[in-house]
Structures are given as structure tokens and as C-alpha cells.
Amino acid sequence: MRSIWNGAISFGLVSIPIKLFNATESHSISFRQIHTEDGGRVRYRKVCELDGEELDASEIGKAYEDADGSLVPITDDDLAALPLPTARTIEIVAFVPADSIDPLQIDTAYYLSASGVPAAKPYTLLREALKRSRKVAVAKFALRGRERLGMLRVVDDVIAMHGLLWPDEIRAPEGVAPDSAVKIRDAELDLADALMDTLGEVDVDSLHDDYREAVESLIASKAGGALPPAEAPESKGGGKVIDLMAALEKSVRAAKEARGEEAAEPAEVTELKPRKTAARKSAPAKKTATKTTSAKSTSAKTATKSTSKTATAAKKSAASPKASAAGAKKSTATTAKKTAKKAAPRKRASA
């Protein structure tokens, strides 16, 4: 590895000459831009806006752009004249428990190597002190034109340093958490714990980048003149509202089966109907209720008519005795008159 920075660790009055190395490297596949019509490379040229000339790196400086758009030139000599104690020094300011560092602050990682034989003993002393204390060192250092915060810890037999973001560079998580209140039942937590226990731990070294391997295979195939058939990605059914308990139970069962353990009875995952659909389906109920009310109203009208007819019949029935008596008197008088006529002697006609 090639060192990217030379300096010293300031540990009280002890100075430890060191070299700084990048501890990580990127394996991401980079692409070039091309002209799609003819495959020609598309390149960027640095051109001065005033005279239109293309510039090389030796002709390019730096400047700060003010709010009004004006540029303030800043030279390397200007920056070198600034009072920066950590320009070539990693200055340890405190030793703290490792869990007191917020993981959100952790940035780029570096390896620190003792520079020369005289630096070996103080380097080893600091390393062993960090091991025994089970603490990490918080330090300030300058790199690439700015002062930074760092955390020193031991990795195997090497002192590693993680660049840290300054506390004011961490955003507050405002508006990120769910707005609505959610109640979690103990049974759901128990299943979540069971799923965590079933999944267990994993050897991080066994994990690899499947997508990068697929891209490399695609590049190799196209370079050889062949194009592998595209495989449709498996649908995982994301975005559906599901029964959480059944989903947890099914996840636990699948994890146990993957580990060769006996699984419990299968739990079906049922899709829950969205609230809007339920509201739409409840609309016919209103129509049914309207029909029922109409039917009740019709029955009431029929009952009213029936009652009215019954009352009319009752009135007629109440008036019938008088009508019957009058009819009986009339019939008796008519019969008497007829009887009297028959009984009266007929007069003979005179000669």
C-alpha cells in the first residue's frame, strides 16, 4: 500500500511518527460515457469562461464563490499561512468508551503505521494502552485542506483511525418517524424476537455483492459477442398490507427450514382489505337500509288503510240495528193492509 499522508500522533508529550494508509477500497464498477450513435468516448474539458481556452491542472487554482456570485481567489500559500496545529499532527484530545461515539459520525477509515524503527515502541505502547483500557481515542487532524475529527482504535495489531463527522454535520431526524401512533402487542414482539433468534448471526466475510458479479458476467458476455438472456426479477410482493402476525410466523418457519430445523404448522398470510375498499363496499348497505325504511313506510300506510276500512265497517255495523227495526215495521204494516183487503166482503153490482 502507498501512504497518503505523513505526520505524527501527539500523545501528551509523546510524539509518534506515522504514515497514513487508506483502509478501504471501492470495488464498484465504473462506466464511461459514450456517444450512442457511434460509440465514441465523451470527455470533459476544462475551459475558461472568459477566453474559451482549454486549461491543464497547473493552470487551475481555487476560489470561494460569494453569495452575489463573485469569486474570491484563495492560494495554497494563503492556506499554509493559517495557524493550524494539526497540519501534520494527529492530536489526541480524549479517551472515551467506544459506545459513546454515534455510528452516524463514522466516516472514512485509515490505517496508521509506525514510521521508522524509533517510532515502534511508542506506537506499541499506545496500541496496548488502548487495548487494556477498552477505550478509543478522539483526535483532531488536518487532511485535504480541512481540519477533521478522528477516532483511533485497535484492529488486530494495528492502530486504525476512522474519520468522524463534526457533531453539527449530523442532521436531526425530524419528520422521519411515522406520524400516527402505532401499538405493538407483546405477541408480535415475541414473534419478532423468535425470528431474530432463528436468523441468528452471520459471518460477514461470507457476504458478497451479487449485483456486481451479475454486472461483471454481463460485461464478459457482451465482450465475447453474446448476450445472456435477461432473467425477470422475483416478485417479493412489496407494498401490500398483510397480516403482521401471520407474516412473522411464516418468516420464522422459513428461517427454521433454511437451517434444517423442524417448522411449526404453516400460518397463512392473508391480505388485509384497504379502508377505502371497505368504505365503498358499505355503500350498498345504505341502499338496503333505504329500501327497508321504504318497506316499513309502505307497511305503515297499508296498516292505516286497513284500520280505516275496519272503522268504516264498524260504523255501518253500529247503524244496522236501527235500519233493521225500521225495515221490520214497514214489512208488518204492508202485510196487515193486504190481510184487511182480503177479509173485506165484495159488493155486488146493482141490477
Side-chain angles (χ1 to χ4, degrees), residues 136-253:
V136 297
V138 177
K140 294 171 68 177
F141 67 103
L143 183 65
R144 297 189 178 97
R146 57 172 295 215
E147 189 171 55
R148 305 174 184 230
L149 199 60
M151 178 188 73
L152 278 65
R153 69 184 183 97
V154 178
V155 177
D156 294 333
D157 289 331
V158 175
I159 298 176
M161 182 174 69
H162 296 271
L164 298 179
L165 299 174
W166 296 98
D168 60 358
E169 293 178 317
I170 304 298
R171 292 180 174 180
E174 297 177 357
V176 179
D179 295 332
S180 58
V182 179
K183 185 177 181 180
I184 301 297
R185 295 179 294 169
D186 291 339
E188 293 170 337
L189 279 174
D190 292 341
L191 277 173
D193 291 340
L195 178 57
M196 292 169 64
D197 293 338
T198 305
L199 291 175
E201 299 179 356
V202 66
D203 182 7
V204 180
D205 293 336
S206 66
L207 302 178
H208 58 279
D209 189 345
D210 294 327
Y211 180 75
R212 179 169 60 89
E213 291 180 357
V215 173
E216 290 174 348
S217 176
L218 173 64
I219 294 172
S221 298
K222 295 201 73 171
L227 181 62
E231 297 181 0
E234 296 181 2
S235 175
K236 297 185 178 180
K240 291 185 178 179
V241 180
I242 60 174
D243 184 345
L244 182 58
M245 289 290 290
L248 287 170
E249 290 174 357
K250 188 175 181 180
S251 300
V252 172
R253 189 178 71 255

Side-chain angles (χ1 to χ4, degrees), residues 93-117:
V93 295
F95 291 89
V96 300
D99 57 6
S100 66
I101 303 295
D102 189 343
L104 286 174
Q105 289 184 256
I106 298 177
D107 199 7
T108 311
Y110 306 96
Y111 287 137
L112 305 181
S113 170
S115 180
V117 176

Side-chain angles (χ1 to χ4, degrees), residues 33-346:
Q33 291 185 330
I34 62 170
H35 187 193
T36 54
E37 291 187 2
D38 55 20
R41 279 281 305 274
V42 176
R43 298 180 182 273
Y44 290 97
R45 292 187 172 93
K46 296 182 179 181
V47 178
C48 177
E49 291 183 352
L50 297 180
D51 56 20
E53 293 184 4
E54 184 178 350
L55 307 177
D56 57 23
S58 62
E59 299 175 291
I60 299 175
K62 58 175 70 74
Y64 175 79
E65 185 175 1
D66 211 345
D68 59 358
S70 60
L71 298 175
V72 181
I74 302 294
T75 66
D76 291 338
D77 294 336
D78 294 333
L79 296 175
L82 294 176
L84 186 60
T86 57
R88 286 292 173 183
T89 303
I90 299 174
E91 182 182 356
I92 295 176
V93 295
F95 291 89
V96 300
D99 57 6
S100 66
I101 303 295
D102 189 343
L104 286 174
Q105 289 184 256
I106 298 177
D107 199 7
T108 311
Y110 306 96
Y111 287 137
L112 305 181
S113 170
S115 180
V117 176
K121 186 167 184 177
Y123 180 94
T124 305
L125 173 64
L126 176 59
R127 183 191 66 195
E128 296 304 315
L130 288 171
K131 281 185 180 180
R132 190 166 70 171
S133 68
R134 297 184 179 179
K135 292 183 178 181
V136 297
V138 177
K140 294 171 68 177
F141 67 103
L143 183 65
R144 297 189 178 97
R146 57 172 295 215
E147 189 171 55
R148 305 174 184 230
L149 199 60
M151 178 188 73
L152 278 65
R153 69 184 183 97
V154 178
V155 177
D156 294 333
D157 289 331
V158 175
I159 298 176
M161 182 174 69
H162 296 271
L164 298 179
L165 299 174
W166 296 98
D168 60 358
E169 293 178 317
I170 304 298
R171 292 180 174 180
E174 297 177 357
V176 179
D179 295 332
S180 58
V182 179
K183 185 177 181 180
I184 301 297
R185 295 179 294 169
D186 291 339
E188 293 170 337
L189 279 174
D190 292 341
L191 277 173
D193 291 340
L195 178 57
M196 292 169 64
D197 293 338
T198 305
L199 291 175
E201 299 179 356
V202 66
D203 182 7
V204 180
D205 293 336
S206 66
L207 302 178
H208 58 279
D209 189 345
D210 294 327
Y211 180 75
R212 179 169 60 89
E213 291 180 357
V215 173
E216 290 174 348
S217 176
L218 173 64
I219 294 172
S221 298
K222 295 201 73 171
L227 181 62
E231 297 181 0
E234 296 181 2
S235 175
K236 297 185 178 180
K240 291 185 178 179
V241 180
I242 60 174
D243 184 345
L244 182 58
M245 289 290 290
L248 287 170
E249 290 174 357
K250 188 175 181 180
S251 300
V252 172
R253 189 178 71 255
K256 286 184 177 180
E257 290 176 352
R259 291 177 175 271
E261 301 178 11
E262 292 184 2
E265 290 296 323
E268 295 183 359
V269 179
T270 57
E271 183 178 352
L272 300 181
K273 297 178 180 179
R275 293 183 179 178
K276 291 184 178 180
T277 306
R280 290 176 182 173
K281 289 189 176 181
S282 64
K286 294 182 179 179
K287 295 182 179 179
T288 305
T290 305
K291 290 182 179 179
T292 304
T293 305
S294 177
K296 289 182 178 178
S297 177
T298 305
S299 300
K301 290 180 181 179
T302 305
T304 303
K305 289 181 180 181
S306 177
T307 304
S308 177
K309 288 181 180 180
T310 304
T312 305
K315 288 180 181 180
K316 289 182 178 180
S317 177
S320 62
K322 295 180 181 180
S324 299
K329 288 181 179 181
K330 187 176 180 181
S331 177
T332 303
T334 304
T335 304
K337 286 181 179 181
K338 288 181 179 181
T339 304
K341 285 182 179 182
K342 289 181 179 180
R346 295 181 180 178

